[in-house]
Amino acid sequence: MKKFVNDPADVLAEALRGIAAAYPDLRVDADNRVILRARPTRAGKVALVSGGGSGHEPLHGGFVGRGMLDAAAAGEVFTSPTPDQVLAATRAVDAGAGVLHIVKNYTGDVLNFEMAAELAAAEGVQVETVVVADDVAVQDSTWTAGRRGTGTTVILEKVVGALAEEGADLAAVAGLARRVAAAGRSMGVALSSCTVPAAGRPTFDLPDDEMEVGVGIHGEPGRSRVGLASAHEIARMLVDPIVHDVGEAVGPAIVMLSGLGGTPLIEQYLLYGEIAPLLAEAGVEVRRVLVGDYITSLDMAGASLTVVKADDEILRLWDAPVVTPGLRWGA
Amino acid sequence: MKKFVNDPADVLAEALRGIAAAYPDLRVDADNRVILRARPTRAGKVALVSGGGSGHEPLHGGFVGRGMLDAAAAGEVFTSPTPDQVLAATRAVDAGAGVLHIVKNYTGDVLNFEMAAELAAAEGVQVETVVVADDVAVQDSTWTAGRRGTGTTVILEKVVGALAEEGADLAAVAGLARRVAAAGRSMGVALSSCTVPAAGRPTFDLPDDEMEVGVGIHGEPGRSRVGLASAHEIARMLVDPIVHDVGEAVGPAIVMLSGLGGTPLIEQYLLYGEIAPLLAEAGVEVRRVLVGDYITSLDMAGASLTVVKADDEILRLWDAPVVTPGLRWGA
């Protein structure tokens, strides 16, 4: 295993130490493994809390900051955060207006956030929850009932974070979150496996001439394992299932092509060059684009495509200022 | 070779197509393989042109935009752009106030930029040139006389781009560029080789239990090949040569830890957590930090550390607005 690590058991704690050192606008609660804004939540602002297993950086900790999340609970690599972690995050950021939990649809995440929400409610904190289940690849999966939650989470955190920053109340924030979650679709492809540091060997075997179409962000099996295809063919394997799933003209949209951690930007640019004309052909009017590493799977070579239908309100909120390690503009 | 590619001979052209599709603020001259701002240079503004071999994305094309470069000439992967490409970029962005060429110290780049500068001068375009030679690893190298040019280029393009945006004249812009170039030091380490698409196999062999300390951004040999070390030990191998080379207390600095393309953010965060205390111990007062993929070597696993001594003027220009695919804030 060739990685920048010390003891594989310490990866999360040490990565959090690096985040704390690099970003003075953030604060790390090392005991609870929660990443927070350095400044406390403004009184009366709805707070956004997300989290999940680590290994998908910059998601979620790298999206904490003005205009996006208030806190993120970081589980061990590919492991849900505990209810205690989520509760600690929720308590720390509640400023009287309630807290939105943003949860990717994995069984452990859903259960632990649910338990934390109940504990927080018992303490008088109002909590609403949105579950992202946007991955069109498969219906159920290794750790998931229904669809897995992937890239739409990034766009949701940005858009809904902007609405919360404007002072909207919890019902409005949760309502928008559900609307964005319902408007998003994702599909990924792996050219290689990834290696969980504590395991020390690749999560799955993938021969040199094959790829996994519809892979999950933890290396869960996808729709099919097929021969290594050209970027042009791969673009179609990502675009078609998304467009087919929407089932009607998508119209205006925010699009994200995310590398999975081991794929450099030059390949992502090339792949996006193949994707863009296919989206246009399918009636997706791309209004905003992200290309880069936004939701990763450790060192996996591969990419995922996310398409979120976007009306004028969503686009306006997308353009609002954001200051986080992973997304920053307008301020 | 597991990459998002079609014909390996088309990688550059197709990556440029993706950049054009993803970034409406940029324009790609496909014939000359030049990336430009969509808007022409403001009359009287000094223009900044850089370029070099491709494979280091987002450098340089991803740093074209307001507050940074005006154009970048993209050579084939790991191959210098031709004098004609650089000349085309220079002509396209000159707005009467002259052009600064920012060149990484590789023999082909230096020669071809020099030739382009002479041709441009013959057409009446004033050109000044700054050569970045910041890599402390080795004195000469495969394609370099003297030191190689690496990460300081990113910081130089940002800081000097901000001065040009303010309306400074060519002499002032070139003077600052030389000052930043002289203030920067870099050191890299490779955990794996990279694969040039046209070659189809790794550039060099690196056994599973070894790493290359002081590697060049094209896979050039470094100072030593040693056994795979812990992140803690690797941090020292990056920090010590830089601090030793400066030879005096660094004081205030801008620091960049860049992944080399195949190393995900979680490892970069962890490594930065080891680097930060060593920098503090060595008298480097970290004022600004970048952690992420800024200057890469295709899919190489590894990282490079860059430290640039920064006075108040450099910090002020660093904080000025920038709108590029690779760096964006304040606007």
Side-chain angles (χ1 to χ4, degrees):
Chain A
M1 177 178 62
K2 300 190 97 171
K3 285 181 184 291
F4 294 119
V5 289
N6 297 304
D7 185 333
D10 299 333
V11 162
L12 173 57
E14 294 180 349
L16 290 174
R17 198 170 64 167
I19 290 172
Y23 301 108
D25 289 350
L26 301 183
R27 182 167 69 82
V28 171
D29 171 350
D31 291 338
N32 288 305
R33 296 172 178 195
V34 171
I35 298 156
L36 308 121
R37 304 189 195 184
R39 292 188 180 188
T41 313
R42 197 176 72 229
K45 188 187 98 65
V46 171
L48 270 58
V49 170
S50 191
S54 294
H56 309 299
E57 292 69 22
L59 191 83
H60 295 273
F63 297 131
V64 174
R66 185 146 64 91
M68 218 160 159
L69 298 179
D70 292 87
E76 290 292 332
V77 171
F78 291 0
T79 302
S80 300
T82 65
D84 279 355
Q85 287 183 270
V86 177
L87 180 61
T90 304
R91 266 189 202 134
V93 300
D94 178 49
V99 177
L100 177 70
H101 283 178
I102 301 167
V103 187
K104 302 193 301 305
N105 190 35
Y106 300 97
T107 305
D109 289 28
V110 171
L111 282 174
N112 291 357
F113 269 88
E114 200 170 273
M115 200 172 303
E118 282 169 20
L119 294 167
E123 296 179 8
V125 179
Q126 264 192 294
V127 177
E128 289 276 349
T129 300
V130 61
V131 176
V132 179
D134 65 324
D135 187 338
V136 301
V138 294
Q139 182 52 25
D140 299 312
S141 192
T142 318
W143 297 292
T144 314
R147 285 181 171 180
R148 300 175 297 220
T150 59
T152 297
T153 317
V154 176
I155 290 159
L156 188 156
E157 290 175 358
K158 167 65 190 86
V159 167
V160 177
L163 187 69
E165 213 70 54
E166 289 181 354
D169 66 17
L170 183 58
V173 166
L176 177 69
R178 289 181 192 119
R179 202 152 67 76
V180 175
R185 303 285 186 282
S186 294
M187 177 82 183
V189 59
L191 305 187
S192 82
S193 180
C194 55
T195 297
V196 175
R201 51 185 168 64
T203 300
F204 59 98
D205 290 318
L206 193 54
D208 275 353
D209 56 352
E210 293 184 7
M211 58 187 206
E212 183 77 31
V213 180
V215 70
I217 58 171
H218 313 95
E220 305 97 310
R223 288 188 173 192
S224 57
R225 181 163 293 191
V226 301
L228 189 61
S230 69
H232 181 71
E233 293 162 325
I234 292 170
R236 195 165 280 292
M237 294 175 200
L238 297 178
V239 171
D240 280 357
I242 288 175
V243 169
H244 181 261
D245 193 80
V246 175
E248 54 177 16
V250 172
I254 299 171
V255 171
M256 177 176 78
L257 179 68
S258 180
L260 295 185
T263 286
L265 265 180
I266 188 170
E267 293 180 46
Q268 296 180 39
Y269 289 150
L270 189 152
L271 183 60
Y272 187 72
E274 297 291 346
I275 286 171
L278 297 180
L279 290 175
E281 194 181 285
V284 179
E285 299 164 26
V286 181
R287 293 285 197 262
R288 304 290 185 277
V289 189
L290 292 178
V291 179
D293 283 8
Y294 295 100
I295 174 168
T296 59
S297 304
L298 294 170
D299 52 355
M300 190 183 285
S304 67
L305 177 67
T306 296
V307 176
V308 179
K309 285 184 73 150
D311 57 22
D312 288 349
E313 187 194 14
I314 289 173
L315 291 174
R316 181 183 69 75
L317 293 166
W318 178 259
D319 291 338
V322 61
V323 183
T324 72
L327 279 186
R328 182 171 170 179
W329 58 68
Chain B
M1 177 179 63
K2 300 190 99 171
K3 285 179 183 292
F4 294 120
V5 289
N6 298 303
D7 184 334
D10 298 333
V11 162
L12 173 57
E14 293 180 350
L16 290 174
R17 197 169 65 169
I19 290 173
Y23 302 107
D25 289 349
L26 301 184
R27 182 166 69 81
V28 171
D29 171 350
D31 291 338
N32 288 304
R33 295 171 178 196
V34 171
I35 299 156
L36 307 119
R37 304 190 196 182
R39 292 189 180 187
T41 314
R42 196 175 74 230
K45 189 188 96 68
V46 171
L48 269 59
V49 171
S50 191
S54 294
H56 308 300
E57 291 70 20
L59 190 82
H60 295 273
F63 297 131
V64 174
R66 184 146 64 90
M68 217 161 160
L69 297 178
D70 292 270
E76 291 292 332
V77 171
F78 291 1
T79 302
S80 300
T82 64
D84 279 356
Q85 288 184 268
V86 177
L87 179 62
T90 304
R91 267 188 202 135
V93 299
D94 178 48
V99 177
L100 177 71
H101 283 178
I102 300 167
V103 187
K104 301 194 301 304
N105 190 35
Y106 300 97
T107 306
D109 289 29
V110 171
L111 282 173
N112 292 355
F113 270 88
E114 200 170 271
M115 200 171 303
E118 283 170 19
L119 293 167
E123 297 178 6
V125 179
Q126 267 192 293
V127 178
E128 288 276 348
T129 300
V130 61
V131 176
V132 178
D134 64 325
D135 186 337
V136 302
V138 293
Q139 182 53 24
D140 300 312
S141 192
T142 318
W143 296 291
T144 314
R147 286 181 170 178
R148 300 176 298 221
T150 61
T152 297
T153 317
V154 175
I155 291 159
L156 187 155
E157 290 175 357
K158 166 67 189 84
V159 168
V160 177
L163 187 69
E165 214 70 54
E166 289 182 355
D169 67 16
L170 183 57
V173 166
L176 176 69
R178 291 183 190 118
R179 202 152 69 75
V180 175
R185 303 285 187 283
S186 293
M187 178 81 182
V189 59
L191 304 187
S192 82
S193 180
C194 55
T195 297
V196 175
R201 51 182 169 66
T203 300
F204 59 97
D205 291 318
L206 192 56
D208 276 353
D209 55 352
E210 293 185 6
M211 58 187 206
E212 182 77 31
V213 180
V215 70
I217 57 172
H218 313 94
E220 306 97 310
R223 288 188 174 192
S224 56
R225 182 164 293 190
V226 301
L228 190 60
S230 70
H232 181 72
E233 293 163 324
I234 291 170
R236 194 164 282 290
M237 294 176 202
L238 296 178
V239 171
D240 281 357
I242 288 174
V243 169
H244 180 261
D245 193 80
V246 174
E248 54 176 15
V250 172
I254 299 171
V255 171
M256 176 175 80
L257 180 68
S258 179
L260 296 185
T263 286
L265 266 179
I266 188 171
E267 293 180 46
Q268 296 179 39
Y269 289 149
L270 189 152
L271 183 59
Y272 188 71
E274 296 291 347
I275 286 171
L278 297 180
L279 289 175
E281 194 180 284
V284 179
E285 299 163 26
V286 180
R287 293 285 197 262
R288 304 290 186 279
V289 190
L290 294 177
V291 179
D293 283 7
Y294 295 99
I295 174 168
T296 58
S297 304
L298 295 169
D299 52 354
M300 189 182 286
S304 67
L305 177 67
T306 297
V307 176
V308 178
K309 285 185 70 150
D311 56 23
D312 287 349
E313 187 194 14
I314 289 174
L315 292 173
R316 181 184 68 77
L317 293 166
W318 178 260
D319 291 338
V322 61
V323 184
T324 73
L327 279 186
R328 182 171 169 179
W329 58 68

mmCIF file with all atom_site columns, all heavy atoms in Angstrom, chain B residues 94-113:
data_model
loop_
_atom_site.group_PDB
_atom_site.id
_atom_site.type_symbol
_atom_site.label_atom_id
_atom_site.label_alt_id
_atom_site.label_comp_id
_atom_site.label_asym_id
_atom_site.label_entity_id
_atom_site.label_seq_id
_atom_site.pdbx_PDB_ins_code
_atom_site.Cartn_x
_atom_site.Cartn_y
_atom_site.Cartn_z
_atom_site.occupancy
_atom_site.B_iso_or_equiv
_atom_site.pdbx_formal_charge
_atom_site.auth_seq_id
_atom_site.auth_comp_id
_atom_site.auth_asym_id
_atom_site.auth_atom_id
_atom_site.pdbx_PDB_model_num
ATOM 1   N N   . ASP B 1 94  ? -1.537 40.649 -26.169 1.00 0.00 ? 94  ASP B N   1
ATOM 2   C CA  . ASP B 1 94  ? -0.880 41.954 -26.006 1.00 0.00 ? 94  ASP B CA  1
ATOM 3   C C   . ASP B 1 94  ? -1.904 43.064 -26.226 1.00 0.00 ? 94  ASP B C   1
ATOM 4   O O   . ASP B 1 94  ? -2.645 43.051 -27.200 1.00 0.00 ? 94  ASP B O   1
ATOM 5   C CB  . ASP B 1 94  ? 0.274  42.118 -27.012 1.00 0.00 ? 94  ASP B CB  1
ATOM 6   C CG  . ASP B 1 94  ? 0.933  43.484 -26.886 1.00 0.00 ? 94  ASP B CG  1
ATOM 7   O OD1 . ASP B 1 94  ? 1.247  43.892 -25.742 1.00 0.00 ? 94  ASP B OD1 1
ATOM 8   O OD2 . ASP B 1 94  ? 1.111  44.163 -27.922 1.00 0.00 ? 94  ASP B OD2 1
ATOM 9   N N   . ALA B 1 95  ? -1.940 43.988 -25.274 1.00 0.00 ? 95  ALA B N   1
ATOM 10  C CA  . ALA B 1 95  ? -2.885 45.108 -25.392 1.00 0.00 ? 95  ALA B CA  1
ATOM 11  C C   . ALA B 1 95  ? -2.121 46.424 -25.331 1.00 0.00 ? 95  ALA B C   1
ATOM 12  O O   . ALA B 1 95  ? -2.604 47.426 -24.807 1.00 0.00 ? 95  ALA B O   1
ATOM 13  C CB  . ALA B 1 95  ? -3.933 45.030 -24.292 1.00 0.00 ? 95  ALA B CB  1
ATOM 14  N N   . GLY B 1 96  ? -0.879 46.361 -25.814 1.00 0.00 ? 96  GLY B N   1
ATOM 15  C CA  . GLY B 1 96  ? -0.098 47.589 -25.930 1.00 0.00 ? 96  GLY B CA  1
ATOM 16  C C   . GLY B 1 96  ? 0.831  47.863 -24.759 1.00 0.00 ? 96  GLY B C   1
ATOM 17  O O   . GLY B 1 96  ? 1.715  48.716 -24.844 1.00 0.00 ? 96  GLY B O   1
ATOM 18  N N   . ALA B 1 97  ? 0.649  47.120 -23.657 1.00 0.00 ? 97  ALA B N   1
ATOM 19  C CA  . ALA B 1 97  ? 1.468  47.388 -22.475 1.00 0.00 ? 97  ALA B CA  1
ATOM 20  C C   . ALA B 1 97  ? 2.544  46.329 -22.283 1.00 0.00 ? 97  ALA B C   1
ATOM 21  O O   . ALA B 1 97  ? 3.296  46.359 -21.312 1.00 0.00 ? 97  ALA B O   1
ATOM 22  C CB  . ALA B 1 97  ? 0.582  47.462 -21.234 1.00 0.00 ? 97  ALA B CB  1
ATOM 23  N N   . GLY B 1 98  ? 2.612  45.381 -23.208 1.00 0.00 ? 98  GLY B N   1
ATOM 24  C CA  . GLY B 1 98  ? 3.653  44.360 -23.129 1.00 0.00 ? 98  GLY B CA  1
ATOM 25  C C   . GLY B 1 98  ? 3.158  43.080 -22.478 1.00 0.00 ? 98  GLY B C   1
ATOM 26  O O   . GLY B 1 98  ? 2.042  43.020 -21.951 1.00 0.00 ? 98  GLY B O   1
ATOM 27  N N   . VAL B 1 99  ? 4.022  42.081 -22.562 1.00 0.00 ? 99  VAL B N   1
ATOM 28  C CA  . VAL B 1 99  ? 3.656  40.726 -22.141 1.00 0.00 ? 99  VAL B CA  1
ATOM 29  C C   . VAL B 1 99  ? 4.769  40.149 -21.276 1.00 0.00 ? 99  VAL B C   1
ATOM 30  O O   . VAL B 1 99  ? 5.956  40.265 -21.616 1.00 0.00 ? 99  VAL B O   1
ATOM 31  C CB  . VAL B 1 99  ? 3.428  39.820 -23.372 1.00 0.00 ? 99  VAL B CB  1
ATOM 32  C CG1 . VAL B 1 99  ? 3.108  38.386 -22.943 1.00 0.00 ? 99  VAL B CG1 1
ATOM 33  C CG2 . VAL B 1 99  ? 2.308  40.383 -24.255 1.00 0.00 ? 99  VAL B CG2 1
ATOM 34  N N   . LEU B 1 100 ? 4.375  39.527 -20.166 1.00 0.00 ? 100 LEU B N   1
ATOM 35  C CA  . LEU B 1 100 ? 5.340  38.792 -19.333 1.00 0.00 ? 100 LEU B CA  1
ATOM 36  C C   . LEU B 1 100 ? 5.244  37.306 -19.659 1.00 0.00 ? 100 LEU B C   1
ATOM 37  O O   . LEU B 1 100 ? 4.156  36.726 -19.587 1.00 0.00 ? 100 LEU B O   1
ATOM 38  C CB  . LEU B 1 100 ? 5.043  39.007 -17.848 1.00 0.00 ? 100 LEU B CB  1
ATOM 39  C CG  . LEU B 1 100 ? 5.969  38.214 -16.902 1.00 0.00 ? 100 LEU B CG  1
ATOM 40  C CD1 . LEU B 1 100 ? 7.387  38.782 -16.899 1.00 0.00 ? 100 LEU B CD1 1
ATOM 41  C CD2 . LEU B 1 100 ? 5.406  38.181 -15.473 1.00 0.00 ? 100 LEU B CD2 1
ATOM 42  N N   . HIS B 1 101 ? 6.351  36.711 -20.004 1.00 0.00 ? 101 HIS B N   1
ATOM 43  C CA  . HIS B 1 101 ? 6.423  35.261 -20.186 1.00 0.00 ? 101 HIS B CA  1
ATOM 44  C C   . HIS B 1 101 ? 6.868  34.605 -18.882 1.00 0.00 ? 101 HIS B C   1
ATOM 45  O O   . HIS B 1 101 ? 7.911  34.973 -18.335 1.00 0.00 ? 101 HIS B O   1
ATOM 46  C CB  . HIS B 1 101 ? 7.439  34.918 -21.282 1.00 0.00 ? 101 HIS B CB  1
ATOM 47  C CG  . HIS B 1 101 ? 6.936  35.137 -22.673 1.00 0.00 ? 101 HIS B CG  1
ATOM 48  N ND1 . HIS B 1 101 ? 7.705  34.927 -23.790 1.00 0.00 ? 101 HIS B ND1 1
ATOM 49  C CD2 . HIS B 1 101 ? 5.721  35.534 -23.132 1.00 0.00 ? 101 HIS B CD2 1
ATOM 50  C CE1 . HIS B 1 101 ? 6.997  35.178 -24.877 1.00 0.00 ? 101 HIS B CE1 1
ATOM 51  N NE2 . HIS B 1 101 ? 5.788  35.565 -24.501 1.00 0.00 ? 101 HIS B NE2 1
ATOM 52  N N   . ILE B 1 102 ? 6.076  33.663 -18.413 1.00 0.00 ? 102 ILE B N   1
ATOM 53  C CA  . ILE B 1 102 ? 6.415  32.933 -17.186 1.00 0.00 ? 102 ILE B CA  1
ATOM 54  C C   . ILE B 1 102 ? 6.811  31.523 -17.599 1.00 0.00 ? 102 ILE B C   1
ATOM 55  O O   . ILE B 1 102 ? 5.989  30.765 -18.123 1.00 0.00 ? 102 ILE B O   1
ATOM 56  C CB  . ILE B 1 102 ? 5.212  32.920 -16.224 1.00 0.00 ? 102 ILE B CB  1
ATOM 57  C CG1 . ILE B 1 102 ? 4.823  34.350 -15.862 1.00 0.00 ? 102 ILE B CG1 1
ATOM 58  C CG2 . ILE B 1 102 ? 5.530  32.098 -14.978 1.00 0.00 ? 102 ILE B CG2 1
ATOM 59  C CD1 . ILE B 1 102 ? 3.461  34.467 -15.176 1.00 0.00 ? 102 ILE B CD1 1
ATOM 60  N N   . VAL B 1 103 ? 8.069  31.186 -17.378 1.00 0.00 ? 103 VAL B N   1
ATOM 61  C CA  . VAL B 1 103 ? 8.649  29.970 -17.949 1.00 0.00 ? 103 VAL B CA  1
ATOM 62  C C   . VAL B 1 103 ? 9.232  29.094 -16.848 1.00 0.00 ? 103 VAL B C   1
ATOM 63  O O   . VAL B 1 103 ? 10.000 29.571 -16.015 1.00 0.00 ? 103 VAL B O   1
ATOM 64  C CB  . VAL B 1 103 ? 9.781  30.343 -18.943 1.00 0.00 ? 103 VAL B CB  1
ATOM 65  C CG1 . VAL B 1 103 ? 10.290 29.108 -19.666 1.00 0.00 ? 103 VAL B CG1 1
ATOM 66  C CG2 . VAL B 1 103 ? 9.307  31.407 -19.926 1.00 0.00 ? 103 VAL B CG2 1
ATOM 67  N N   . LYS B 1 104 ? 8.859  27.842 -16.841 1.00 0.00 ? 104 LYS B N   1
ATOM 68  C CA  . LYS B 1 104 ? 9.493  26.900 -15.913 1.00 0.00 ? 104 LYS B CA  1
ATOM 69  C C   . LYS B 1 104 ? 10.838 26.482 -16.506 1.00 0.00 ? 104 LYS B C   1
ATOM 70  O O   . LYS B 1 104 ? 10.957 26.287 -17.728 1.00 0.00 ? 104 LYS B O   1
ATOM 71  C CB  . LYS B 1 104 ? 8.598  25.679 -15.689 1.00 0.00 ? 104 LYS B CB  1
ATOM 72  C CG  . LYS B 1 104 ? 7.220  26.049 -15.121 1.00 0.00 ? 104 LYS B CG  1
ATOM 73  C CD  . LYS B 1 104 ? 6.426  24.855 -14.580 1.00 0.00 ? 104 LYS B CD  1
ATOM 74  C CE  . LYS B 1 104 ? 6.146  23.767 -15.578 1.00 0.00 ? 104 LYS B CE  1
ATOM 75  N NZ  . LYS B 1 104 ? 5.448  24.224 -16.816 1.00 0.00 ? 104 LYS B NZ  1
ATOM 76  N N   . ASN B 1 105 ? 11.825 26.297 -15.665 1.00 0.00 ? 105 ASN B N   1
ATOM 77  C CA  . ASN B 1 105 ? 13.179 26.059 -16.166 1.00 0.00 ? 105 ASN B CA  1
ATOM 78  C C   . ASN B 1 105 ? 13.398 24.636 -16.680 1.00 0.00 ? 105 ASN B C   1
ATOM 79  O O   . ASN B 1 105 ? 13.938 23.788 -15.963 1.00 0.00 ? 105 ASN B O   1
ATOM 80  C CB  . ASN B 1 105 ? 14.211 26.406 -15.082 1.00 0.00 ? 105 ASN B CB  1
ATOM 81  C CG  . ASN B 1 105 ? 15.628 26.407 -15.648 1.00 0.00 ? 105 ASN B CG  1
ATOM 82  O OD1 . ASN B 1 105 ? 15.829 26.792 -16.804 1.00 0.00 ? 105 ASN B OD1 1
ATOM 83  N ND2 . ASN B 1 105 ? 16.584 25.975 -14.859 1.00 0.00 ? 105 ASN B ND2 1
ATOM 84  N N   . TYR B 1 106 ? 12.933 24.423 -17.908 1.00 0.00 ? 106 TYR B N   1
ATOM 85  C CA  . TYR B 1 106 ? 13.272 23.213 -18.672 1.00 0.00 ? 106 TYR B CA  1
ATOM 86  C C   . TYR B 1 106 ? 13.840 23.695 -19.991 1.00 0.00 ? 106 TYR B C   1
ATOM 87  O O   . TYR B 1 106 ? 13.333 24.681 -20.561 1.00 0.00 ? 106 TYR B O   1
ATOM 88  C CB  . TYR B 1 106 ? 12.027 22.335 -18.888 1.00 0.00 ? 106 TYR B CB  1
ATOM 89  C CG  . TYR B 1 106 ? 11.451 21.900 -17.556 1.00 0.00 ? 106 TYR B CG  1
ATOM 90  C CD1 . TYR B 1 106 ? 10.385 22.601 -17.001 1.00 0.00 ? 106 TYR B CD1 1
ATOM 91  C CD2 . TYR B 1 106 ? 12.032 20.869 -16.829 1.00 0.00 ? 106 TYR B CD2 1
ATOM 92  C CE1 . TYR B 1 106 ? 9.908  22.262 -15.733 1.00 0.00 ? 106 TYR B CE1 1
ATOM 93  C CE2 . TYR B 1 106 ? 11.555 20.523 -15.571 1.00 0.00 ? 106 TYR B CE2 1
ATOM 94  C CZ  . TYR B 1 106 ? 10.496 21.232 -15.034 1.00 0.00 ? 106 TYR B CZ  1
ATOM 95  O OH  . TYR B 1 106 ? 10.035 20.912 -13.782 1.00 0.00 ? 106 TYR B OH  1
ATOM 96  N N   . THR B 1 107 ? 14.870 23.023 -20.465 1.00 0.00 ? 107 THR B N   1
ATOM 97  C CA  . THR B 1 107 ? 15.637 23.550 -21.604 1.00 0.00 ? 107 THR B CA  1
ATOM 98  C C   . THR B 1 107 ? 14.745 23.888 -22.794 1.00 0.00 ? 107 THR B C   1
ATOM 99  O O   . THR B 1 107 ? 14.864 24.955 -23.390 1.00 0.00 ? 107 THR B O   1
ATOM 100 C CB  . THR B 1 107 ? 16.727 22.543 -21.993 1.00 0.00 ? 107 THR B CB  1
ATOM 101 O OG1 . THR B 1 107 ? 17.487 22.259 -20.806 1.00 0.00 ? 107 THR B OG1 1
ATOM 102 C CG2 . THR B 1 107 ? 17.650 23.102 -23.050 1.00 0.00 ? 107 THR B CG2 1
ATOM 103 N N   . GLY B 1 108 ? 13.835 22.988 -23.141 1.00 0.00 ? 108 GLY B N   1
ATOM 104 C CA  . GLY B 1 108 ? 12.963 23.233 -24.298 1.00 0.00 ? 108 GLY B CA  1
ATOM 105 C C   . GLY B 1 108 ? 12.057 24.429 -24.073 1.00 0.00 ? 108 GLY B C   1
ATOM 106 O O   . GLY B 1 108 ? 11.887 25.267 -24.971 1.00 0.00 ? 108 GLY B O   1
ATOM 107 N N   . ASP B 1 109 ? 11.482 24.522 -22.884 1.00 0.00 ? 109 ASP B N   1
ATOM 108 C CA  . ASP B 1 109 ? 10.610 25.664 -22.579 1.00 0.00 ? 109 ASP B CA  1
ATOM 109 C C   . ASP B 1 109 ? 11.391 26.970 -22.677 1.00 0.00 ? 109 ASP B C   1
ATOM 110 O O   . ASP B 1 109 ? 10.922 27.947 -23.286 1.00 0.00 ? 109 ASP B O   1
ATOM 111 C CB  . ASP B 1 109 ? 10.036 25.553 -21.156 1.00 0.00 ? 109 ASP B CB  1
ATOM 112 C CG  . ASP B 1 109 ? 9.003  24.438 -21.028 1.00 0.00 ? 109 ASP B CG  1
ATOM 113 O OD1 . ASP B 1 109 ? 9.084  23.448 -21.772 1.00 0.00 ? 109 ASP B OD1 1
ATOM 114 O OD2 . ASP B 1 109 ? 8.114  24.557 -20.156 1.00 0.00 ? 109 ASP B OD2 1
ATOM 115 N N   . VAL B 1 110 ? 12.569 26.993 -22.087 1.00 0.00 ? 110 VAL B N   1
ATOM 116 C CA  . VAL B 1 110 ? 13.354 28.233 -22.067 1.00 0.00 ? 110 VAL B CA  1
ATOM 117 C C   . VAL B 1 110 ? 13.706 28.657 -23.493 1.00 0.00 ? 110 VAL B C   1
ATOM 118 O O   . VAL B 1 110 ? 13.514 29.819 -23.878 1.00 0.00 ? 110 VAL B O   1
ATOM 119 C CB  . VAL B 1 110 ? 14.628 28.033 -21.211 1.00 0.00 ? 110 VAL B CB  1
ATOM 120 C CG1 . VAL B 1 110 ? 15.570 29.229 -21.357 1.00 0.00 ? 110 VAL B CG1 1
ATOM 121 C CG2 . VAL B 1 110 ? 14.248 27.827 -19.740 1.00 0.00 ? 110 VAL B CG2 1
ATOM 122 N N   . LEU B 1 111 ? 14.149 27.721 -24.306 1.00 0.00 ? 111 LEU B N   1
ATOM 123 C CA  . LEU B 1 111 ? 14.518 28.030 -25.691 1.00 0.00 ? 111 LEU B CA  1
ATOM 124 C C   . LEU B 1 111 ? 13.319 28.500 -26.505 1.00 0.00 ? 111 LEU B C   1
ATOM 125 O O   . LEU B 1 111 ? 13.401 29.483 -27.246 1.00 0.00 ? 111 LEU B O   1
ATOM 126 C CB  . LEU B 1 111 ? 15.097 26.785 -26.374 1.00 0.00 ? 111 LEU B CB  1
ATOM 127 C CG  . LEU B 1 111 ? 16.539 26.442 -26.035 1.00 0.00 ? 111 LEU B CG  1
ATOM 128 C CD1 . LEU B 1 111 ? 16.929 25.106 -26.644 1.00 0.00 ? 111 LEU B CD1 1
ATOM 129 C CD2 . LEU B 1 111 ? 17.473 27.563 -26.538 1.00 0.00 ? 111 LEU B CD2 1
ATOM 130 N N   . ASN B 1 112 ? 12.212 27.792 -26.367 1.00 0.00 ? 112 ASN B N   1
ATOM 131 C CA  . ASN B 1 112 ? 11.059 28.107 -27.217 1.00 0.00 ? 112 ASN B CA  1
ATOM 132 C C   . ASN B 1 112 ? 10.383 29.419 -26.805 1.00 0.00 ? 112 ASN B C   1
ATOM 133 O O   . ASN B 1 112 ? 9.902  30.167 -27.662 1.00 0.00 ? 112 ASN B O   1
ATOM 134 C CB  . ASN B 1 112 ? 10.062 26.938 -27.228 1.00 0.00 ? 112 ASN B CB  1
ATOM 135 C CG  . ASN B 1 112 ? 10.649 25.731 -27.954 1.00 0.00 ? 112 ASN B CG  1
ATOM 136 O OD1 . ASN B 1 112 ? 11.743 25.802 -28.519 1.00 0.00 ? 112 ASN B OD1 1
ATOM 137 N ND2 . ASN B 1 112 ? 9.931  24.617 -27.940 1.00 0.00 ? 112 ASN B ND2 1
ATOM 138 N N   . PHE B 1 113 ? 10.349 29.685 -25.518 1.00 0.00 ? 113 PHE B N   1
ATOM 139 C CA  . PHE B 1 113 ? 9.826  30.985 -25.078 1.00 0.00 ? 113 PHE B CA  1
ATOM 140 C C   . PHE B 1 113 ? 10.763 32.112 -25.534 1.00 0.00 ? 113 PHE B C   1
ATOM 141 O O   . PHE B 1 113 ? 10.304 33.186 -25.932 1.00 0.00 ? 113 PHE B O   1
ATOM 142 C CB  . PHE B 1 113 ? 9.635  31.015 -23.553 1.00 0.00 ? 113 PHE B CB  1
ATOM 143 C CG  . PHE B 1 113 ? 8.269  30.560 -23.097 1.00 0.00 ? 113 PHE B CG  1
ATOM 144 C CD1 . PHE B 1 113 ? 8.008  29.215 -22.855 1.00 0.00 ? 113 PHE B CD1 1
ATOM 145 C CD2 . PHE B 1 113 ? 7.230  31.462 -22.905 1.00 0.00 ? 113 PHE B CD2 1
ATOM 146 C CE1 . PHE B 1 113 ? 6.754  28.785 -22.442 1.00 0.00 ? 113 PHE B CE1 1
ATOM 147 C CE2 . PHE B 1 113 ? 5.970  31.048 -22.480 1.00 0.00 ? 113 PHE B CE2 1
ATOM 148 C CZ  . PHE B 1 113 ? 5.729  29.706 -22.252 1.00 0.00 ? 113 PHE B CZ  1
#
